[in-house]
């Protein structure tokens, strides 16, 4: 569900929306180099909430849609971020099994309801939810991943933490 893909306080003064693809090397770079610092400094302190939106690019990343569907199925059981972390960690280690059995195995490993998860993997409503994210991103000008919006201001690519810090601090100071 949408709420499951949000990290941080609902009333945080700054919203960071991330359009991402689970098979994108630049999204992986953001995950490994920047995300934990953003969570520690901004999300855990109540200043920023992160909203994850799926933007798989199947033309470049053939398994990205299956991964997004699986992450959304985990979201439906309240475990989006844990599943997100497993997908990116395994992608970084080049050990992701994108088959239904492999994706289901990750879900079972985090105590998700296996039958519910496997039924969800075949649910067209999940694909429609992901396509709605993609269409929304396209309308906002997303052309590649990762693309971020800080209170509506675009920040494109796997920028270093220092760039995020500057943009977030500026937003928190009311300068955007």
């Amino acid at each position: 569900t949408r709420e499951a893909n949000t990290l941080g306080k609902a009333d945080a003064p700054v919203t960071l929306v991330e359009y991402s693809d689970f098979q994108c090397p630049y999204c992986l770079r953001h995950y490994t180099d920047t995300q934990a610092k953003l969570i520690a400094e901004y999300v855990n302190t109540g200043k920023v909430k992160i909203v994850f939106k799926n933007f798989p690019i199947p033309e470049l990343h053939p398994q990205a849609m299956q991964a997004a569907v699986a992450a959304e199925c985990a979201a439906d059981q309240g475990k989006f971020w844990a599943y997100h972390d497993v997908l990116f960690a395994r992608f970084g280690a080049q050990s992701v099994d994108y088959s239904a059995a492999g994706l289901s195995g990750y879900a079972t490993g985090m105590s998700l309801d296996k039958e519910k998860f496997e039924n969800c993997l075949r649910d067209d409503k999940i694909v429609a939810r992901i396509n709605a994210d993609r269409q929304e991103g396209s309308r906002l000008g997303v052309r590649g991943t990762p693309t971020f919006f800080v209170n509506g201001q675009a920040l494109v690519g796997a920028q270093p933490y220092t760039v995020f810090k500057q943009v977030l601090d500026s937003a928190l100071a009311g300068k955007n």
Side-chain angles (χ1 to χ4, degrees), residues 152-167:
Q153 177 190 345
L155 183 60
V156 179
Q159 300 289 338
Y161 175 75
T162 51
V163 173
F164 277 93
K165 181 171 176 46
Q166 190 177 9
V167 172

Side-chain angles (χ1 to χ4, degrees), residues 20 40 71 79 108 126 153 155 159:
S20 191
K79 297 277 182 123
T108 304
I126 301 299
Q153 177 190 345
L155 183 60
Q159 300 289 338

